[in-house]
Amino acid sequence: MSRLFNPTAIKLSSSLPILSSSYSFSSKSRICYSSNFSPSSAFFISKPLCSSPTLFVRRTMTDSAASTAVDASMDAVQRRLMFEDECILVDENDRVVGHENKYNCHLMEKIESLNLLHRAFSVFLFNSKYELLLQQRSATKVTFPLVWTNTCCSHPLYRESELIEEDALGVRNAAQRKLLDELGIVAEDVPVDQFTPLGRILYKAPSDGKWGEHELDYLLFIVRDVKVNPNPDEVANVKYVNREQLKELLRKADAREEGLKLSPWFRLVVDNFLFKWWDHLEKGTLKEVVDMKTIHKLT
């Protein structure tokens, strides 16, 4: 969680003010993030509270406005979410080290230069026939537009209800929220206690030259018959598939038929876990494969 600092600052340039506020601390990258992060505003503290000098970074309204101007062609809804949503920054052991807006978390430049890693989740929703609901991401999505993926993929936000770590409750709360936002699935149809967290993966994947993902992703299974009403700002298409139909999708994606593409995180889960977990789901033995202690680093 966030820690309080009252640093004496050595300014890197005369234009940077001395800050005295609340910051989030990353022991891995030695970066402290304020709630006003800016890649252009950084300084070292003269008396670091860690074993090596610590870099502070701060965002200003000017920086956000500049970024908005640069990305004026971005869909208005996606642009708003990029700056309003605050993702949870974690280290590679899934310890919370701060928070940052969705925009910076998905810029490959920031991912590479600052090692920004954020918490995420991927929902795999099955109906009572054990068919898996897939979605095609909308054309206006900033990362991986129009790719097919699992039911819902998003981020818990830096808010009290979604930071609860016990039994991954914060992530499950976020999953319930996003199933409504993206697919119109009401909360009553997907109670948080019906999600089964199965494991965690850590991966990095560029989307294009500018955007990408670097996520510590919680994998959630749920079996519910639901009414789906997709939000066109988020979802272009949906369909249920059985195992054989999914294998055919994989074949088409590998052969690049019909322009079909799969999201990189979905493909990692498919290749490493999905069919085994699917078997256990149908047999009623899913708890046998739950492993929330391991973080699988996949490429």
Side-chain angles (χ1 to χ4, degrees):
M1 300 293 291
S2 296
R3 302 184 184 183
L4 292 179
F5 294 85
N6 187 18
T8 301
I10 299 176
K11 292 187 285 183
L12 295 183
S13 75
S14 59
S15 63
L16 294 177
I18 295 175
L19 300 183
S20 177
S21 186
S22 298
Y23 298 91
S24 303
F25 172 64
S26 167
S27 59
K28 176 175 176 59
S29 61
R30 297 302 182 193
I31 297 173
C32 297
Y33 301 94
S34 79
S35 60
N36 293 314
F37 173 85
S38 169
S40 64
S41 302
F43 58 90
F44 288 93
I45 60 173
S46 58
K47 297 179 180 179
L49 300 178
C50 53
S51 59
S52 63
T54 302
L55 177 67
F56 285 85
V57 282
R58 186 183 67 168
R59 181 178 65 238
T60 66
M61 291 301 291
T62 302
D63 294 322
S64 295
S67 298
T68 303
V70 169
D71 294 286
S73 62
M74 189 186 299
D75 174 76
V77 172
Q78 297 300 327
R79 185 168 61 247
R80 175 178 57 79
L81 295 175
M82 276 289 187
F83 290 104
E84 286 185 0
D85 285 357
E86 289 283 323
C87 296
I88 301 168
L89 296 177
V90 295
D91 64 17
E92 291 190 356
N93 294 308
D94 200 21
R95 293 187 292 252
V96 177
V97 298
H99 56 98
E100 182 45 73
N101 65 35
K102 188 177 174 183
Y103 184 95
N104 283 325
C105 283
H106 291 84
L107 279 174
M108 284 306 298
E109 175 189 358
K110 303 305 176 193
I111 290 171
E112 298 292 356
S113 64
L114 299 176
N115 195 36
L116 296 184
L117 172 66
H118 61 275
R119 190 174 284 169
F121 63 83
S122 291
V123 174
F124 294 76
L125 184 149
F126 299 82
N127 61 21
S128 56
K129 295 187 289 184
Y130 296 106
E131 296 170 324
L132 173 62
L133 179 61
L134 303 182
Q135 69 155 278
Q136 184 184 31
R137 291 162 66 85
S138 76
T140 60
K141 296 289 280 187
V142 174
T143 58
F144 303 99
L146 293 177
V147 305
W148 283 92
T149 192
N150 49 285
T151 312
C152 180
C153 332
S154 191
H155 321 95
L157 300 182
Y158 194 83
R159 57 176 63 163
E160 184 176 0
S161 63
E162 297 183 12
L163 282 162
I164 303 169
E165 298 196 350
E166 185 177 0
D167 298 324
L169 179 57
V171 170
R172 290 185 285 129
N173 284 336
Q176 185 187 65
R177 171 178 59 82
K178 286 303 293 183
L179 284 168
L180 176 61
D181 288 350
E182 294 190 2
L183 295 164
I185 300 173
V186 297
E188 292 78 9
D189 286 350
V190 282
V192 292
D193 62 0
Q194 294 299 301
F195 291 97
T196 300
L198 285 168
R200 295 174 291 174
I201 65 172
L202 193 160
Y203 76 96
K204 183 189 294 184
S207 175
D208 55 23
K210 181 175 182 177
W211 305 102
E213 295 284 5
H214 190 206
E215 296 186 327
L216 203 152
D217 195 8
Y218 285 64
L219 309 178
L220 310 175
F221 268 32
I222 185 169
V223 180
R224 305 287 291 184
D225 288 318
V226 298
K227 182 179 179 180
V228 179
N229 182 24
N231 174 359
D233 289 322
E234 298 285 344
V235 178
N237 202 356
V238 296
K239 62 177 155 186
Y240 282 97
V241 295
N242 58 31
R243 285 181 184 79
E244 294 309 311
Q245 290 167 332
L246 178 55
K247 289 176 181 177
E248 177 62 12
L249 280 179
L250 298 174
R251 185 196 66 77
K252 287 183 177 180
D254 289 343
R256 300 184 179 180
E257 291 183 13
E258 303 173 9
L260 192 146
K261 296 180 181 180
L262 303 178
S263 73
W265 60 89
F266 180 49
R267 190 59 193 255
L268 287 170
V269 176
V270 169
D271 290 345
N272 289 276
F273 308 110
L274 182 58
F275 290 108
K276 174 185 175 181
W277 289 352
W278 204 330
D279 287 340
H280 279 277
L281 182 68
E282 289 201 37
K283 294 175 183 176
T285 57
L286 193 61
K287 290 185 178 180
E288 293 181 9
V289 293
V290 171
D291 177 12
M292 293 303 294
K293 294 181 179 180
T294 306
I295 298 173
H296 300 274
K297 296 181 180 180
L298 305 178
T299 55

